[in-house]
Amino acid sequence: MSGFAPDALPAHLARILSRLGPSGDCWIAYSGGLDSTVLLHAAVRVRDLLPGALRAIHIDHGMQADALLWSEQCRQQCDALGLPLVVRRLNLRPMRGVSLEARARESRYHAFESLLASGDLVLTAHHLDDQAETLLLTLLRGSGVHGLAAMPLAAALGQGRLVRPFLDVPRATLEQYARGSGLTWIDDPSNDAVRMDRNYLRHRVVPLLRARWPAVSRTLARSAGHCAEAAELIDAEAAGLLAQCAGGHSGTLD
């Protein structure tokens, strides 16, 4: 999607969802930040083309002093767009030996899962630069091909699916769309905290890489796609080999 026009985002969103086949309602994971605000507004522009009803969910992790204010701002935005909004409050607290960021992510997905009826979709605003950062993080953790596959476009979640329709869109395009559409959004100060690994990569490492290799995000995302294909082939081969070794009873080997 090199040179992708910001005004084409709504049509791109509708096209991605149409390729997923029959589904139920669409839930927008709406934090109020720039990325999810663009996703929300793009979805509203093509809501007649989307499968099922369009709704939004806002997760209040209870970790910021302004969290209640942000929830109210999200509600006002959705009210103005005529969009139903569900707010879930998690009130997370630190636990020894457990990353608060990881706990927040896990709890967030549990909240999404609890909402989904059969066939429903929850849409998140992860984009091309997020995918590149994810690949770098998994590389630094020494992951194999399954980890290096980073984030898939769509994955099963409870009774429905989690979908990332902007995964091939640069964040710069989302920002151009937001500014060109006169959108307002919430700036979460925790996104600038470089003590967190992803933020350190985003603010310190990736800019250096991009200065030398301008297409670094797209190139890294392409590598993640190659790893996803490799992981799929490995899984298929392993499943075939396991079937050959199966015994006469379920779950046993010959």
Side-chain angles (χ1 to χ4, degrees), residues 100-153:
L100 190 58
E101 187 179 17
R103 282 195 65 217
R105 181 172 58 251
E106 181 179 355
S107 299
R108 185 164 60 248
Y109 285 124
H110 280 317
F112 294 158
E113 185 176 349
S114 70
L115 276 181
L116 299 180
S118 180
D120 283 359
L121 307 177
V122 58
L123 312 184
T124 68
H126 293 103
H127 47 73
L128 184 74
D129 299 283
D130 290 326
Q131 184 75 314
E133 292 164 6
T134 299
L135 176 62
L136 287 173
L137 285 170
T138 56
L139 277 170
L140 292 168
R141 292 168 185 154
S143 300
V145 290
H146 288 83
L148 298 178
M151 297 182 288
L153 169 66

Side-chain angles (χ1 to χ4, degrees), residues 64 101 188-204:
Q64 295 286 345
E101 187 179 17
D188 184 344
S190 69
N191 290 332
D192 296 324
V194 294
R195 69 180 182 278
M196 291 184 281
D197 291 343
R198 183 177 290 273
N199 287 346
Y200 185 85
L201 285 174
R202 179 175 301 163
H203 296 295
R204 300 285 176 82

